[in-house]
Amino acid sequence: MSSLDTPLDLTLDGGALTARLVDFPSVSGDEQALADAVETALRAYPHLTVDRYGNNVVARTNFGRAERVLIAGHLDTVPIADNVPSHVEGDLLYGCGTSDMKSGVAVQLRLAATLTDANHDLTYVFYDCEEIEAARNGLGHLAKHHPDWLTADFAVLMEPSGAMVEGGCQGTMRAQITLTGTRAHAARSWLGDNAIHHAAEVLGRLAAYEPRRVEIDGLEYREGLNAVRIDGGVAGNVIPDECVVTVNFRFAPDRTEADAEAHIREVFDGYKIDVTDSAPGALPGLGGPAAQAFLAATGGQARAKFGWTDVARFSALGVPAVNYGPGDPNLAHKREEHCSLSAIAEVEDRLRAWLTSS
Amino acid sequence: MSSLDTPLDLTLDGGALTARLVDFPSVSGDEQALADAVETALRAYPHLTVDRYGNNVVARTNFGRAERVLIAGHLDTVPIADNVPSHVEGDLLYGCGTSDMKSGVAVQLRLAATLTDANHDLTYVFYDCEEIEAARNGLGHLAKHHPDWLTADFAVLMEPSGAMVEGGCQGTMRAQITLTGTRAHAARSWLGDNAIHHAAEVLGRLAAYEPRRVEIDGLEYREGLNAVRIDGGVAGNVIPDECVVTVNFRFAPDRTEADAEAHIREVFDGYKIDVTDSAPGALPGLGGPAAQAFLAATGGQARAKFGWTDVARFSALGVPAVNYGPGDPNLAHKREEHCSLSAIAEVEDRLRAWLTSS
């Protein structure tokens, strides 16, 4: 009997359940079997209303509480790198997805199965395709087609955060700076105008750039403006007439996308600039009562989230959201990915304490 | 009857013969049919000894003169760009290879057929694969396998020169300058070290570089040092750990390749530099009696050749060589390539006058 034929047993402890989920491969685009298993397991609990859209599963309680908390996690992983099935070494569980983020999904499933009563109504969201292009992201599809399923007063995204609360996230914008010149044969270079040489000034501005640090809701954000690509050249004997520098600006959530674009245009004043893609940041949103109670239950400490995460999707829906998960973000996507079993238990305990305190 | 079945008629005038050659496609690597036709046409003349190696044809006289002049041209063209067959507009013959360099080949064939006596012994070299990678160049193969066929006191390469004598040629060297850094996620750029930003200084030195001008044998050479390629970048969200700038140094023929490399290393002192390929220049070699008589017959004026040409191969064999051909170098490789019919006649007349004056 392969692991795919075994139903998910939500009475296992968090570590054992994580191991079961890791041994159930679900690389982005191939989540259907795991989504089926999650849906089947949750439908066994009468206190949950279960809905499904594609390979996204949403389970909700109807306790009649004043506030609703949403707990979300993605089912998919990056491609397996010879690191499945999982194995345990001491307190560490190794395998693809242990940190990012099947340990978080295991905690979600444990809470969903066992919190038959709570101080908030609860919504558990399991979604697909987080690790690949944004257009396929399951949370994005839910926000578009079933926004009512995502209604909540506060959301916890169980992305790996080392069992620390990470508030908000920074925005990201990519832009291309295009330098132009005049093509000529390299043997008669004075007849041309070298576009690559014009990039000296652009790269000089980047090298001299001093990124801003800013504190928001007590969390310190650190911005960054970097060239992530440079391309120029026609042939080994031609003075090139074009060079393109692609920059990536990571901006603190007190800037809107429009602010970010204006900043890029100011830094590279005088150059041709095309913004190619961007995603807004999300403010930490730690001011509300649910968030304050959550912070207290999880130890009272929060730090800024630098990378862009799906908390920004909740922010766009008007739902304050944080990252809080047992995985180690520094191990995500690595062959040696692993997760601390005690962190899985700790995160489950703290969430349970928060959601059951009177 | 297609043009490929018609034997080459060397009694046609230079313009008409050029048109016949242009209508006989011979893109690099596909010269066999034209080489066959050239060989067959030359073997009809008893004053010529004809040899062949691959698609390279060499015809020699044995007049018993004190000095030997070599006249060389390549049979191949760049790919046809919807510009064959040829057509005439007024004094201009249009078509692929009209300038580069079937007009020169036509003059060679005309001289070979008609100069049954001359003041120098004559060697006519027709070779393949000049327009592609150096390793396939037919003149290079002859120099390696039949250097005796190339023995001469002076050589004229009939590359397009606008009916002007172009002396020597500049050398060319390519080098890669590699900048390194430390890879990191763009959301935490302070953990990395951006290799593309380090290229600012390298490009700054290039932008500020003042190329040398130098006079040799009365000809002014102009050097150039240029970036011809720049490459850096891992992904849109990664601080890149490598950036490579490829530079091309065109150097006057008073520098050896070793001098050129030392100069590049001086300009980019402090950086990792790898020379990837180079070719030496060729001094003008206009001091000898055959060259002086040639210069007088062609009008007494010469200019420096900036681009690298196969004259450097003759120079390496100890044969002074110049470029002199009816084509327009600015039209080479262009769709609108054409050649002046009167220039073809003029170049043939001047060479004939030089080679028959007493």
Side-chain angles (χ1 to χ4, degrees), chain A residues 1-290:
Chain A
M1 195 178 194
S2 84
S3 65
L4 290 167
D5 301 315
T6 320
L8 285 177
D9 177 358
L10 306 190
T11 68
L12 293 172
D13 70 44
L17 184 55
T18 302
R20 278 283 292 117
L21 293 169
V22 170
D23 296 343
F24 209 126
S26 58
V27 175
S28 306
D30 203 18
E31 300 93 335
Q32 185 173 346
L34 182 55
D36 289 350
V38 165
E39 181 185 359
T40 301
L42 294 173
R43 285 198 187 279
Y45 295 90
H47 68 283
L48 298 173
T49 303
V50 180
D51 287 296
R52 177 154 176 173
Y53 178 77
N55 289 326
N56 306 291
V57 179
V58 178
R60 284 176 288 179
T61 66
N62 294 283
F63 302 141
R65 305 299 174 219
E67 285 194 325
R68 178 173 288 277
V69 164
L70 186 151
I71 305 179
H74 61 83
L75 296 173
D76 61 319
T77 68
V78 294
I80 290 165
D82 200 24
N83 53 358
V84 164
S86 60
H87 71 277
V88 173
E89 292 182 21
D91 182 50
L92 303 179
L93 175 69
Y94 282 79
C96 180
T98 43
S99 265
D100 188 11
M101 58 171 282
K102 288 181 171 178
S103 50
V105 170
V107 171
Q108 284 183 272
L109 288 169
R110 292 271 304 147
L111 294 174
T114 57
L115 287 178
T116 55
D117 188 19
N119 53 16
H120 296 80
D121 263 304
L122 296 164
T123 299
Y124 304 95
V125 177
F126 304 87
Y127 62 101
D128 68 348
C129 292
E130 191 272 345
E131 298 289 3
I132 52 175
E133 64 267 30
R136 294 179 63 185
N137 183 295
L139 193 60
H141 291 179
L142 289 175
K144 184 172 178 188
H145 299 287
H146 294 285
D148 52 309
W149 296 359
L150 302 181
T151 301
D153 298 285
F154 184 62
V156 177
L157 188 60
M158 300 203 67
E159 284 281 355
S161 70
M164 287 277 292
V165 176
E166 293 183 326
C169 75
Q170 297 202 130
T172 176
M173 177 169 286
R174 266 178 285 270
Q176 293 188 330
I177 300 159
T178 303
L179 296 316
T180 55
T182 306
R183 204 180 280 206
H185 195 288
R188 293 180 189 77
S189 52
W190 57 93
L191 300 178
D193 177 28
N194 196 316
I196 293 177
H197 296 188
H198 294 323
E201 168 68 17
V202 169
L203 299 186
R205 292 189 195 178
L206 282 166
Y209 183 80
E210 301 213 358
R212 188 174 66 118
R213 294 184 182 206
V214 58
E215 195 174 302
I216 304 168
D217 279 6
L219 310 187
E220 187 191 48
Y221 289 86
R222 295 181 70 166
E223 298 187 329
L225 177 62
N226 273 275
V228 289
R229 179 156 202 92
I230 186 165
D231 270 309
V234 176
N237 60 354
V238 175
I239 304 303
D241 56 353
E242 184 172 287
C243 181
V244 178
V245 181
T246 305
V247 298
N248 183 205
F249 181 36
R250 299 289 177 141
F251 53 96
D254 61 338
R255 295 200 208 247
T256 64
E257 287 171 282
D259 295 338
E261 179 171 345
H263 182 66
I264 290 175
R265 292 192 182 280
E266 186 186 331
V267 172
F268 299 108
D269 185 38
Y271 291 99
K272 179 177 184 297
I273 297 163
D274 296 289
V275 172
T276 54
D277 69 291
S278 73
L283 288 164
L286 295 174

Side-chain angles (χ1 to χ4, degrees), chain B residues 11 27 33 49 81 85 90 114 117 119 143 147 160 190 193 216 218-219 252 284 291 293 307 316 357:
Chain B
T11 68
V27 175
T49 301
T114 56
D117 189 19
N119 54 15
W190 56 92
D193 176 28
I216 304 168
L219 310 187
S357 64

